[in-house]
């Protein structure tokens, strides 16, 4: 049985040309923390409660953002042409945490699309989607995931804490 779930995180992947204010960085951090609490849902059915835990990158949304930020290689031509925007990528998180069937849902340009696919392909295994039943059994389910990747020519530091 396959359950298809769409869940998106706003992750800001950047290349630096100029720095943003600390207030903007803190606002982005707060938004990511709020999204982490939305990762679990409890559903009540006739047979009891089922806790549904969305798949996630190891370490959560902030770790995913850091991975993308650290790993992104802004395509030289796109950078020179000042191309900015969002590539939306879909993929499956398999029951073993591996990622498969990576596809571009919304293209920015050929170079940025290829970079987005490279980033997703190189990701470590994720925590898979889980359904935890009231009797304690845990079912791992293959799940479709949608992830927007931002290509911005502006620096944002999600790791800096004052």
């Amino acid at each position: 049985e396959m359950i298809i779930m769409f869940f998106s995180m706003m992750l800001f992947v950047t290349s630096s040309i100029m720095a943003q204010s600390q207030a903007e960085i803190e606002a982005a951090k707060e938004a990511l923390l709020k999204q982490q609490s939305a990762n679990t849902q409890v559903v009540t059915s006739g047979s009891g409660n089922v806790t549904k835990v969305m798949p996630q990158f190891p370490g959560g949304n902030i770790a995913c953002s850091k991975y993308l930020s650290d790993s992104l290689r802004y395509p030289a031509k796109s950078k020179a042409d000042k191309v900015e925007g969002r590539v939306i990528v879909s993929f499956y998180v398999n029951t073993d945490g591996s990622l498969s069937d990576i596809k571009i849902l919304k293209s920015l340009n050929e170079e940025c699309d290829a970079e987005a696919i490279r980033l997703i392909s190189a990701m470590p295994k994720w925590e898979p989607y889980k359904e935890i039943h009231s009797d304690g059994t845990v079912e791992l389910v293959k799940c479709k995931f949608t992830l927007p990747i931002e290509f911005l020519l502006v620096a944002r530091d999600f790791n800096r804490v004052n």
Side-chain angles (χ1 to χ4, degrees):
E1 175 183 336
M2 181 188 332
I3 296 177
I4 298 177
M5 303 290 292
F6 293 94
F7 182 76
S8 53
M9 301 182 297
M10 293 304 298
L11 300 172
F12 300 97
V13 181
T14 62
S15 177
S16 73
I17 285 183
M18 59 186 192
Q20 291 294 303
S21 73
Q22 185 63 30
E24 288 174 316
I25 293 168
E26 292 304 318
K29 280 184 187 177
E30 285 180 35
L32 286 172
L33 288 173
K34 285 179 185 175
Q35 288 172 358
Q36 280 185 320
S37 66
N39 217 24
T40 303
Q41 176 186 17
V42 177
V43 177
T44 303
S45 66
S47 60
N49 289 339
V50 176
T51 302
K52 298 182 177 190
V53 181
M54 293 298 298
Q56 72 173 352
F57 185 87
N61 295 348
I62 292 175
C64 186
S65 178
K66 180 177 177 358
Y67 164 82
L68 292 171
S69 175
D70 291 348
S71 302
L72 180 101
R73 294 191 296 242
Y74 214 110
K77 183 174 180 347
S78 297
K79 190 172 187 178
D81 293 344
K82 297 187 182 341
V83 173
E84 291 185 305
R86 178 181 299 159
V87 175
I88 299 180
V89 184
S90 75
F91 52 91
Y92 282 93
V93 179
N94 299 305
T95 57
D96 66 353
S98 64
L99 307 181
S100 63
D101 198 24
I102 302 165
K103 294 183 179 172
I104 301 296
L105 297 181
K106 179 180 176 269
S107 175
L108 182 56
N109 68 17
E110 190 175 310
E111 296 84 19
C112 290
D113 293 353
E115 178 59 8
I117 289 172
R118 185 195 69 78
L119 283 168
I120 302 300
S121 298
M123 284 183 161
K125 287 188 174 186
W126 284 41
E127 292 295 323
Y129 175 84
K130 296 175 192 151
E131 289 187 352
I132 305 167
H133 299 273
S134 55
D135 65 1
T137 59
V138 177
E139 182 180 358
L140 302 178
V141 181
K142 182 176 180 178
C143 178
K144 190 168 188 178
F145 200 89
T146 302
L147 182 67
I149 300 177
E150 297 285 339
F151 286 83
L152 301 173
L153 294 170
V154 175
R156 294 179 193 254
D157 183 357
F158 290 102
N159 304 311
R160 199 169 89 196
V161 179
N162 285 350

